[in-house]
Amino acid sequence: MKISPRCSVGRRRHVVQRVTPYSAEAPFAIWDGLVPANQVMHTYRTRLRITQKRGQQTQALAATVNILDQAGDVLLRIGRIDAADASWTFMLFLNATTTAVMACTGVAWAKPTTNPASSRCGIDPE
């Protein structure tokens, strides 16, 4: 396992590279600092609406939004795993001591099934 600190958007994160039997090296990051669950819930509720509108494939996004909503002001740490082939990104919501995963969601980076520009202006995609 290789750990290296990296800065991103003003928050520090640690990148851990692991080799698993299912993939080549997939980067794993856990950001320093804590954030209230209800604060990130609003962001992920918006992402849920956008991905549904675009027809973008997700895993457990609705369940994650519900868990974050129920957690209220509980402080969380955020982690991220990118698939080795860059097809998926998984976000992990960990407890403050990083000893338990509170929620996890994945979003595919495939092209959406509808044209986002046309869906915003009410025009059917070609």
Side-chain angles (χ1 to χ4, degrees):
M1 183 178 342
K2 180 172 77 176
I3 302 176
S4 62
R6 210 189 266 183
C7 290
S8 176
V9 192
R11 291 191 289 171
R12 210 168 118 210
R13 66 180 176 159
H14 297 283
V15 178
V16 179
Q17 303 241 344
R18 297 179 187 210
V19 178
T20 68
Y22 304 107
S23 68
E25 291 188 10
F28 176 80
I30 299 176
W31 279 266
D32 286 342
L34 301 171
V35 61
N38 53 11
Q39 181 179 333
V40 275
M41 182 275 301
H42 293 288
T43 300
Y44 283 85
R45 185 175 57 195
T46 300
R47 287 184 183 173
L48 176 61
R49 284 195 301 264
I50 290 168
T51 56
Q52 288 173 335
K53 187 175 184 177
R54 291 181 177 174
Q56 193 171 4
Q57 193 176 6
T58 64
Q59 291 183 4
L61 185 52
T64 295
V65 170
N66 288 334
I67 292 166
L68 294 172
D69 188 32
Q70 291 173 9
D73 60 358
V74 171
L75 295 176
L76 303 175
R77 223 174 267 283
I78 300 174
R80 175 179 167 159
I81 300 172
D82 294 318
D85 64 359
S87 59
W88 285 83
T89 293
F90 294 91
M91 298 302 294
L92 297 105
F93 302 94
L94 307 152
N95 66 353
T97 59
T98 64
T99 56
V101 176
M102 307 285 289
C104 178
T105 185
V107 177
W109 286 102
K111 290 187 177 185
T113 57
T114 61
N115 181 342
S118 64
S119 63
R120 281 195 300 265
C121 60
I123 300 170
D124 290 331
E126 299 177 61

